[in-house]
Amino acid sequence: MNILDVNNVSKQYARHLALDRVSFSVREGVIFGLLGPNGAGKTTLIRILNQIIYPDSGNVLFKGQPLSANDVRQIGYLPEERGLYKKMKAGEQALYLARLKGMEHMEALTRLHHKFEEYGILDWWNRPVEELSKGMQQKVQFITTTIHQPAFLILDEPFSGFDPINANLLKEEILKLKAAGTTIILSTHNMSSVEEICDEIALINHAQKILDGNLFEIKNRFKKNIFAVEVSNEENSLADDLQNDFEVIQRQTLPHSIRYDIRLPEGKRANDLLNVCMRHSNILSFHETLPSMNEIFIEQVEHFNQLCHEKE
Amino acid sequence: MKKNNPVLLIIAREYLTRVRKKSFILLTILLPILMAAIIMLPVLLMINSEKKQHTHVLVVDETEIFLNAFEPNDNVTFSYASGDITTFKQDILQNNKYNCILHILDNSQSLKSNLYYKEKVPSSLSSFIERQMDNIFFDRILQDSLHINPAQFEKLQELTKADVTTIQMDDKGNERENIAEINEVIGMVCGFFIYFIIIIFASQVLRGVLEEKTSRIVEVIVSSVKPIQLLIGKIVGIALVGITQFVIWVMLTFGILLVAQIAAPSLMSGSVPETAVPGAGIAADTLPADFSIFQKINEYFSVSFGEIILCFFFFFVVGYLIYASLYAAMGSVVDNESDSQQYTLPITLPLLLSIIVVPSIANNPNGDLALWFSMIPLTSPVSMLVRLPAGVPLWQVLLSMGLALAFLVFCIWFAAKVYRMGILMYGKKVSWREIFKWLRK
């Protein structure tokens, strides 16, 4: 079941079109990567999902119903530009934000205490936020984003500003939330984190959605028939045979092995490649290399920009 | 009412964070103490000088006009001597026989005298002596040169004193005694007061909006509540802070004065003994006149006190709301406080102008200038209050209120539109043209 359906959403600002008939759906319980270069329209889309602004046309369905003011209680939002009241005490502030999300005073207080303890910042409950380190502020911010246990979580560049250790903790938290059934939209430039945790993605460029779907399917769709073979020893003829029948992209001599990256030409199958290798070497490993999300991102965006350019 | 009403939560936060600030507590408590001190200080000083100082003046009069003529009081006594001034000076220097010497020189042209002392004497002593000398000399000339009895002269003065009372008539022909000076003072006080309240608290709204924008928390909050709810919560919260501060100020000031009165009843009842200070004779002359003015203020208030309070409250609320919403809108389109000034200037200018013209309006409360300034909504909160004590036709008051209310509706609409867009704009300057585009959306 879809928790979110975005249908033909357009948004025009005074000088430019921020979103141009964007449609996609997010299934319940997945981590959904919202990708795109700077200025593509991601922030506008996220603000529409948070009902901070409204689309000029098109609509957004939340759990099958048009998005309404009451839904904000089921949505958690971590904006890219983090911010808390600097002079306000950390605990008091978290309580205030939790209550704005509709939580009862006592319930919010108990749950916040637990969370602050879990994150090791309970001692800082009564300190103004400006006295906390940046990492602690990030923790407070993340707690306030999730304290009302939203069914749907929107994280805009969640890893920016975290050191590797805290970034890893955050990743684990995100996966924990997913395991508990939370649907998460992750807007990011960090493609490695997309590969690690996203199930589905949508790629937005110049206000338009240019790609969406399951991450694995997309990688398969854009695969270029490249295989990596690692062999422990080789006869001299292996390199020649490979060169004759296939396209050798790269040959690397590793300490105890040799690695080939090979593209299959039209009409050849992986088994053909294996046959050649088997004849001339001991195979250590053999696998298909799928394109990285980074490659797909750059390729698709550049391809799209070129199309736009030609149209003009 | 719905539980967890977000506007109430926002009001509570805006209110509590400000009220708990050290600067707020300090200012709220210190100011009344300062006020009370300013009121009581002169009285306390009087008491001090009354207790301590008794001044003995030796009069060495070469003219002999003033022989035995000075009138002593509780604090000052006079004795008279003639002879060489230097020997009397030695008396002061060596054995403190008297506190000071009044040496009146015989110099035919003008009345010249010196007051010698070693240890400090009350500063009012010389004026006390001067006055007495004036009177004595005047009476002497009346009697000796013009052959007029001073007592008769005084009677004549009283007889010929003219008194012009200004009486205002309203539409129904009711008459009301009117004192222009008091109108001016009351009007100016009310006007300045409204001005300061608007400036202080409306600019707090501006700063609050800026704080939320620059700290970027606004995006988190507007994902939970509507921007207009945040705006309303902030404006109302800060208004409550202002009211709290005002109420505490009034209560504390009166409280301190009350305590002082109980502690020392004679001090505060206004019956400071005339003779408490050397020189109190001056006060004795002018006091009755002052008293009659006070009585007239009371009479005056019994007529239109309610009206003034009502209008004050109305223009305070409406004026604050107009400026607070405009300031909030301007605060939302900038990124830092120094940039904000170019946007707030067009709004602050009318307010400044209304303060600049306060004296002219107070002087001529029914002139053209006064009429126009009390009708234009950005200036009317100050200008109408300046005019009010002098009596303003009812239709003008109602028209001014109506215009202010209509303008307030416009301001709220304007602020809601601009604020909603402004708080989400980062990094670039918003032009006025762009703001007008938002309005048309």
Side-chain angles (χ1 to χ4, degrees):
Chain A
M1 186 197 157
N2 290 339
I3 194 165
L4 189 78
D5 294 285
V6 176
N7 301 319
N8 271 316
V9 164
S10 295
K11 179 75 186 177
Q12 172 84 48
Y13 283 133
R15 286 199 209 105
H16 75 289
L17 189 62
L19 289 175
D20 185 8
R21 288 161 296 163
V22 170
S23 298
F24 64 89
S25 296
V26 179
R27 284 189 300 118
E28 204 163 346
V30 303
I31 299 183
F32 188 94
L34 188 61
L35 317 179
N38 290 326
K42 295 189 306 273
T43 305
T44 304
L45 182 59
I46 286 175
R47 282 176 176 170
I48 287 174
L49 298 185
N50 277 305
Q51 303 178 69
I52 295 172
I53 52 177
Y54 298 90
D56 297 335
S57 64
N59 64 7
V60 179
L61 301 183
F62 184 73
K63 294 183 171 174
Q65 300 293 319
L67 202 58
S68 78
N70 274 332
D71 294 333
V72 298
R73 296 178 175 206
Q74 299 188 55
I75 299 177
Y77 174 39
L78 183 73
E80 179 176 5
E81 300 278 3
R82 314 289 155 70
L84 295 165
Y85 289 109
K86 290 188 178 63
K87 309 243 179 244
M88 204 173 174
K89 289 171 185 164
E92 200 180 335
Q93 178 149 217
L95 184 61
Y96 172 62
L97 293 173
R99 297 209 59 200
L100 282 185
K101 280 286 186 190
M103 286 184 78
E104 292 302 323
H105 181 89
M106 277 319 291
E107 192 194 359
L109 199 61
T110 335
R111 232 190 269 170
L112 281 170
H113 257 278
H114 279 299
K115 273 286 165 196
F116 268 62
E117 204 162 15
E118 191 186 323
Y119 283 50
I121 49 174
L122 191 56
D123 291 344
W124 299 83
W125 181 276
N126 271 324
R127 304 292 281 275
V129 166
E130 59 186 352
E131 289 179 15
L132 272 61
S133 74
K134 197 148 182 244
M136 286 191 275
Q137 290 187 22
Q138 298 266 27
K139 283 180 181 173
V140 174
Q141 189 110 41
F142 190 75
I143 291 174
T144 60
T145 309
T146 53
I147 195 67
H148 56 296
Q149 300 181 330
F152 184 58
L153 194 58
I154 301 167
L155 308 176
D156 197 353
E157 289 294 351
F159 298 104
S160 74
F162 275 99
D163 61 45
I165 294 171
N166 279 319
N168 202 44
L169 281 177
L170 178 64
K171 198 181 92 188
E172 278 166 22
E173 277 306 312
I174 291 173
L175 291 174
K176 247 193 256 173
L177 285 166
K178 184 198 170 185
T182 312
T183 311
I184 298 161
I185 280 197
L186 193 76
S187 162
T188 184
H189 292 131
N190 185 339
M191 290 304 143
S192 64
S193 64
V194 172
E195 306 230 11
E196 279 175 58
I197 59 178
C198 287
D199 304 299
E200 295 176 7
I201 62 143
L203 179 57
I204 292 179
N205 188 36
H206 281 301
Q208 292 180 0
K209 183 197 75 183
I210 58 178
L211 185 67
D212 71 333
N214 180 284
L215 184 70
F216 184 71
E217 282 170 18
I218 286 176
K219 287 183 132 195
N220 264 308
R221 206 190 309 165
F222 290 97
K223 72 179 176 188
K224 300 206 168 93
N225 285 333
I226 295 173
F227 289 82
V229 192
E230 212 177 322
V231 293
S232 64
N233 64 331
E234 58 174 349
E235 293 167 15
N236 289 339
S237 50
L238 176 64
D240 294 337
D241 282 4
L242 287 176
Q243 216 108 49
N244 286 339
D245 294 345
F246 308 95
E247 187 188 333
V248 175
I249 298 169
Q250 195 182 346
R251 177 181 183 275
Q252 270 176 291
T253 313
L254 303 171
H256 303 289
S257 62
I258 301 141
R259 179 192 158 121
Y260 284 94
D261 288 304
I262 294 159
R263 177 177 291 136
L264 295 189
E266 203 71 30
K268 295 269 184 188
R269 292 182 304 130
N271 287 9
D272 301 332
L273 176 59
L274 260 179
N275 273 330
V276 174
C277 295
M278 272 159 65
R279 261 184 272 137
H280 299 287
S281 65
N282 269 342
I283 298 171
L284 291 178
S285 74
F286 180 86
H287 65 88
E288 183 171 14
T289 310
L290 289 176
S292 72
M293 209 45 235
N294 206 33
E295 287 164 346
I296 296 174
F297 181 97
I298 293 171
E299 200 180 287
Q300 287 301 304
V301 167
E302 278 175 355
H303 177 65
F304 183 85
N305 287 352
Q306 212 172 351
L307 280 181
C308 288
H309 204 71
E310 279 165 16
K311 242 187 254 173
E312 284 167 13
Chain B
M1 190 184 291
K2 202 171 67 180
K3 256 187 197 173
N4 255 10
N5 184 325
V7 177
L8 290 183
L9 284 171
I10 293 165
I11 291 175
R13 194 203 82 87
E14 296 293 336
Y15 180 79
L16 289 175
T17 50
R18 284 186 175 75
V19 167
R20 286 187 307 203
K21 263 189 202 158
K22 281 191 195 85
S23 58
F24 174 87
I25 296 170
L26 222 62
L27 189 68
T28 309
I29 291 175
L30 280 187
L31 203 81
I33 292 176
L34 201 71
M35 291 287 289
I38 288 171
I39 295 172
M40 292 196 313
L41 206 65
V43 184
L44 286 175
L45 283 179
M46 282 181 198
I47 300 306
N48 256 352
S49 50
E50 178 192 32
K51 272 177 192 156
K52 270 200 273 181
Q53 292 240 309
H54 185 94
T55 314
H56 183 185
V57 182
L58 181 73
V59 182
V60 182
D61 180 14
E62 293 176 5
T63 63
E64 298 196 341
I65 294 173
F66 299 95
L67 197 62
N68 293 327
F70 285 102
E71 277 180 32
N73 66 19
D74 288 356
N75 296 323
V76 189
T77 49
F78 295 93
S79 50
Y80 304 84
S82 58
D84 187 6
I85 187 77
T86 48
T87 57
F88 299 124
K89 279 183 189 167
Q90 285 304 316
D91 283 345
I92 284 194
L93 290 174
Q94 279 155 19
N95 50 22
N96 273 335
K97 251 179 159 168
Y98 14 79
N99 303 85
C100 48
I101 308 165
L102 177 65
H103 183 209
I104 302 167
L105 304 160
D106 188 9
N107 155 336
S108 66
Q109 290 305 312
S110 64
L111 203 54
K112 175 116 180 63
S113 57
N114 297 322
L115 191 65
Y116 297 99
Y117 67 91
K118 184 176 155 206
E119 254 135 59
K120 197 153 170 33
V121 292
S123 52
S124 52
L125 184 70
S126 66
S127 60
F128 173 67
I129 291 173
E130 215 170 77
R131 260 191 94 78
Q132 288 223 23
M133 284 173 70
D134 278 353
N135 288 339
I136 295 163
F137 195 48
F138 186 78
D139 287 356
R140 185 68 181 261
I141 288 173
L142 274 182
Q143 207 157 14
D144 293 0
S145 308
L146 303 169
H147 309 292
I148 299 168
N149 184 337
Q152 275 180 331
F153 180 79
E154 206 168 309
K155 223 180 244 167
L156 189 71
Q157 252 185 333
E158 244 163 63
L159 258 165
T160 56
K161 199 172 173 191
D163 180 27
V164 179
T165 308
T166 50
I167 294 165
Q168 188 181 30
M169 300 178 295
D170 64 11
D171 299 338
K172 289 176 201 143
N174 294 326
E175 294 180 0
R176 183 169 93 175
E177 209 172 299
N178 210 332
I179 307 159
E181 293 80 22
I182 296 176
N183 288 339
E184 275 182 37
V185 171
I186 295 174
M188 283 165 82
V189 167
C190 288
F192 278 117
F193 196 71
I194 276 238
Y195 168 80
F196 282 117
I197 287 179
I198 287 176
I199 276 288
I200 291 170
F201 292 101
S203 48
Q204 279 207 27
V205 173
L206 174 83
R207 246 175 285 130
V209 170
L210 261 174
E211 183 205 356
E212 272 163 4
K213 197 182 166 185
T214 51
S215 75
R216 310 284 166 120
I217 194 171
V218 69
E219 186 140 0
V220 175
I221 294 180
V222 294
S223 73
S224 306
V225 305
K226 290 198 172 65
I228 187 75
Q229 292 177 314
L230 179 59
L231 185 60
I232 291 171
K234 184 171 284 297
I235 289 176
V236 174
I238 291 174
L240 291 179
V241 174
I243 291 169
T244 306
Q245 194 158 44
F246 182 66
V247 167
I248 294 177
W249 277 344
V250 170
M251 287 191 335
L252 265 183
T253 308
F254 277 106
I256 291 170
L257 291 178
L258 198 73
V259 168
Q261 187 165 18
I262 292 166
S266 66
L267 290 189
M268 306 307 298
S269 58
S271 65
V272 178
E274 197 181 295
T275 49
V277 214
I282 316 158
D285 279 355
T286 48
L287 210 57
D290 284 344
F291 266 169
S292 73
I293 286 181
F294 284 129
Q295 277 162 11
K296 294 225 164 110
I297 288 180
N298 282 341
E299 279 169 29
Y300 188 91
F301 269 173
S302 63
V303 180
S304 59
F305 190 60
E307 191 188 326
I308 289 178
I309 291 280
L310 215 69
C311 285
F312 181 84
F313 196 71
F314 177 88
F315 280 108
F316 159 60
V317 171
V318 173
Y320 165 77
L321 288 178
I322 285 176
Y323 276 93
S325 52
L326 289 179
Y327 274 16
M330 294 302 108
S332 73
V333 301
V334 294
D335 273 346
N336 55 63
E337 197 153 358
S338 54
D339 273 357
S340 71
Q341 279 173 4
Q342 71 178 80
Y343 289 93
T344 52
L345 193 68
I347 303 161
T348 318
L349 218 54
L351 195 62
L352 278 176
L353 211 59
S354 69
I355 272 300
I356 292 170
V357 299
V358 158
S360 353
I361 289 182
N363 198 25
N364 185 8
N366 283 307
D368 281 350
L369 184 79
L371 180 66
W372 283 106
F373 267 78
S374 60
M375 288 302 149
I376 298 168
L378 280 170
T379 55
S380 62
V382 173
S383 299
M384 186 48 101
L385 274 173
V386 176
R387 289 183 65 192
L388 215 56
V392 177
L394 188 65
W395 68 268
Q396 284 187 17
V397 177
L398 292 180
L399 181 62
S400 167
M401 284 178 162
L403 286 172
L405 270 181
F407 187 67
L408 174 61
V409 171
F410 165 79
C411 286
I412 290 172
W413 170 82
F414 173 84
K417 285 251 173 187
V418 173
Y419 180 79
R420 202 165 62 86
M421 297 297 291
I423 47 173
L424 299 173
M425 310 291 279
Y426 291 118
K428 59 179 168 185
K429 268 196 178 160
V430 181
S431 66
W432 283 103
R433 246 181 62 204
E434 210 159 333
I435 292 177
F436 286 122
K437 268 187 192 155
W438 296 347
L439 293 181
R440 272 188 274 135
K441 263 198 163 176

